[in-house]
Amino acid sequence: MFTNDCLNVNESGHLTIGGCDATELAAQYGTPLYVLDENVIRNTCRAYVNSFKKYYDGNGMPMYASKALSCMELCRIMDEEGLGLDVVSGGELYTALKAGFPPENIHFHGNNKTDEELVMALKHNVGKIVVDNLEELERLNSFAEKLDKVAPISFRIKPGVDAHTHSFIRTGQIDSKFGFALETGEAYNAVKKAISYENVCLKELHCHIGSQIFDIQPFVTAAEIMMDFIGKIKNELGVVISQLNLGGGFGIMYVDTDTPVPYENYMEKVSIAVKAKAEEYSIPVPFIFIEPGRSIVGEAGITLYKAGAVKNIPNVRTYVSVDGGMTDNIRYALYQSDYTVVNASKANQKPEMTVTIAGKCCESGDLIQENVKIANTVAGDIIAVLSTGAYNYSMASNYNRIPRPEIVMIKDGKPRVIVKRETYDDIIRNDI
Ligand code: LLP
């Protein structure tokens, strides 16, 4: 059972991605290797763009959350597909700008932006700075004044919605380091302050309730709560906020028990709720932004490793060690995330062996997945971990001075490198 249609098995019994034999990719480019299918990425972008056309008169824009995977080629693809970009650090902003991404379509996020990051965002005229807290609002207003600018801003609001997902990736509830709380009045007071400041212009309200969510109802509830707040601001302060950003968080398939909903169902349901609230408060239907990250790149990617030692500990377990690990995929170590693992060299064979896939780091917790069933595996086999396009490369590290793998993108059956493999010289580049 594979997680996406871009994956298949060829006549040699090998796993294929985007029509390319995974074992040949591994031989040509080396392992570990991240592989992405460009058609899957572009099709998902189009599904989001079309959902706005179909259910919301095109009155919205998906902003790719580049924390899921940031590199220049992906920024170019997002621009070509008509998406904006959500960046969350100076580094992600720099990547986008160097890729020639139009700054007006960039939103700058973060719960603790530095002075340098705020000034960088202002100087490059990013489309919006999503303000997280009052201290930041004040700093931003004074930097904008010095630069003789009026910064277009949004406020990150905690709508108090509990999305059922891992507690580390749940963000909309009151106990979260992100944003202004609604129920305490904090958000309302911040809006009043922003209106009184001369060098910021409050254009949008933003919320993000969490990540890897399958249920549409929490998104609808969050949208209604946000619209109620926009209505209150209009009624009590006479200010109309014309843009609403509903964040990202749409779930993908990691294993066959995951049940993602078609992404257009989201806009279908949310648009009904938002339009009804706009009528209730006699305000114009807002322009809507959403910020999908994982769902754009997640299922489009796999990671290929070469199996090394296969260690059977009788009555305990069998470890298959691979030539990567928590340095290229920390998600099991961090969140016990599920993944589907396939022996790409024997993808036509029955998964009969129950194994734990271990990495090569000097760390017992360096596991990719425990107790997975794969075809009988020996050293030299190519092991594929599926749905690794999001939050794998972007969360990679150089622990144990292991160089980060390269990323190969496949388009119409043709692979090309979009991020080079790090070398040992890269590892020591900043050492004095
Ligand atoms: N917008 C905001 C403000 C966010 O904080 C996030 C994710 C997104 C959009 C994109 O959410 P997505 O569509 O990708 O679910 N490292 C974790 C995920 C952390 C997500 C943080 N914020 C993981 O590997 O599961």
Side-chain angles (χ1 to χ4, degrees):
M1 171 68 188
F2 298 141
T3 50
N4 191 280
D5 293 345
C6 67
L7 303 169
N8 220 322
V9 182
N10 64 15
E11 57 289 347
S12 313
H14 297 164
L15 180 73
T16 62
I17 172 164
C20 294
D21 184 313
T23 66
E24 285 172 18
L25 290 170
Q28 185 178 352
Y29 296 100
T31 50
L33 183 69
Y34 296 114
V35 188
L36 290 169
D37 185 317
E38 186 169 336
N39 292 340
V40 175
I41 293 173
R42 286 187 186 270
N43 287 340
T44 312
C45 292
R46 287 169 202 174
Y48 278 120
V49 171
N50 289 336
S51 74
F52 277 109
K53 289 191 186 137
K54 191 164 166 190
Y55 295 108
Y56 206 64
D57 306 318
N59 194 23
M61 189 183 208
M63 313 286 286
Y64 168 62
S66 71
K67 74 204 76 181
L69 173 53
S70 170
C71 66
M72 298 209 305
E73 184 67 347
L74 216 47
C75 292
R76 292 181 203 111
I77 291 173
M78 292 306 138
D79 190 30
E80 280 174 23
E81 293 298 333
L83 273 72
L85 218 57
D86 143 9
V87 301
V88 76
S89 69
E92 286 183 16
L93 176 58
Y94 187 80
T95 305
L97 294 171
K98 282 285 172 185
F101 202 88
E104 64 273 20
N105 289 339
I106 299 177
H107 288 182
F108 194 91
H109 272 277
N111 68 304
N112 193 21
K113 303 175 192 75
T114 64
D115 292 354
E116 292 75 16
E117 286 175 325
L118 288 176
V119 169
M120 182 180 179
L122 282 170
K123 283 193 171 157
H124 287 282
N125 298 316
V126 302
K128 217 161 281 141
I129 298 176
V130 185
V131 175
D132 180 90
N133 54 72
L134 273 186
E135 184 273 342
E136 181 179 298
L137 179 68
E138 274 152 32
R139 268 189 306 139
L140 180 61
N141 190 57
S142 81
F143 289 138
E145 188 183 351
K146 281 191 197 116
L147 292 168
D148 199 20
K149 287 176 185 271
V150 176
I153 64 164
S154 174
F155 273 152
R156 176 146 183 183
I157 308 289
K158 287 185 262 200
V161 174
D162 184 14
H164 306 282
T165 185
H166 193 289
S167 65
F168 285 11
I169 54 178
R170 199 168 57 194
T171 54
Q173 75 285 9
I174 191 161
D175 181 10
S176 162
K177 69 170 182 169
F178 299 102
F180 298 93
L182 256 189
E183 54 261 64
T184 58
E186 186 190 19
Y188 187 70
N189 290 336
V191 170
K192 282 209 279 196
K193 261 213 163 123
I195 294 168
S196 72
Y197 285 0
E198 292 206 339
N199 294 87
V200 296
C201 176
L202 181 61
K203 290 182 173 290
E204 176 200 278
L205 292 180
H206 171 281
C207 69
H208 170 79
I209 56 173
S211 202
Q212 184 61 1
I213 301 166
F214 294 122
D215 200 359
I216 291 188
Q217 191 50 44
F219 291 110
V220 173
T221 306
E224 287 174 341
I225 292 170
M226 295 297 283
M227 285 300 288
D228 285 338
F229 189 41
I230 290 178
K232 177 180 157 89
I233 293 168
K234 186 228 162 193
N235 289 343
E236 295 179 13
L237 303 173
V239 172
V240 175
I241 308 249
S242 61
Q243 300 178 3
L244 175 61
N245 190 326
L246 295 169
F250 318 107
I252 67 164
M253 186 185 267
Y254 286 102
V255 291
D256 56 14
T257 47
D258 290 333
T259 50
V261 287
Y263 299 126
E264 68 164 34
N265 292 12
Y266 167 79
M267 264 325 287
E268 184 185 4
K269 297 279 185 308
V270 163
S271 65
I272 294 169
V274 170
K275 284 176 186 166
K277 285 283 179 189
E279 205 177 314
E280 184 183 330
Y281 292 104
S282 306
I283 47 177
V285 171
F287 190 88
I288 290 187
F289 294 98
I290 54 170
E291 297 170 335
R294 186 193 313 270
S295 52
I296 289 190
V297 288
E299 287 178 18
I302 64 172
T303 308
L304 301 176
Y305 304 99
K306 188 178 278 175
V310 178
K311 196 174 282 179
N312 177 26
I313 309 174
N315 304 320
V316 181
R317 62 166 113 193
T318 302
Y319 284 98
V320 171
S321 289
V322 295
D323 53 358
M326 65 192 291
T327 43
D328 57 76
N329 183 355
I330 198 171
R331 296 190 70 258
Y332 187 75
L334 204 51
Y335 322 113
Q336 296 77 52
S337 304
D338 289 331
Y339 280 103
T340 301
V341 183
V342 177
N343 185 324
S345 309
K346 300 166 181 167
N348 58 348
Q349 293 182 21
K350 253 194 147 173
E352 286 174 328
M353 207 179 174
T354 301
V355 301
T356 287
I357 309 287
K360 60 174 283 167
C361 294
C362 194
E363 182 93 25
S364 305
D366 172 26
L367 306 175
I368 297 282
Q369 203 64 200
E370 290 181 273
N371 303 321
V372 283
K373 280 204 159 268
I374 56 170
N376 197 17
T377 298
V378 294
D381 284 352
I382 299 301
I383 304 297
V385 180
L386 312 186
S387 293
T388 58
Y391 303 113
N392 273 233
Y393 174 79
S394 66
M395 294 175 79
S397 76
N398 290 126
Y399 181 46
N400 291 174
R401 297 232 131 180
I402 294 173
R404 273 176 269 244
E406 78 189 3
I407 308 182
V408 164
M409 178 84 92
I410 296 172
K411 176 141 177 68
D412 302 330
K414 287 194 196 68
R416 69 184 190 284
V417 174
I418 63 161
V419 177
K420 289 192 274 187
R421 187 177 297 282
E422 283 180 348
T423 63
Y424 290 135
D425 279 334
D426 291 327
I427 295 284
I428 59 160
R429 181 180 306 163
N430 297 318
D431 291 11
I432 309 287

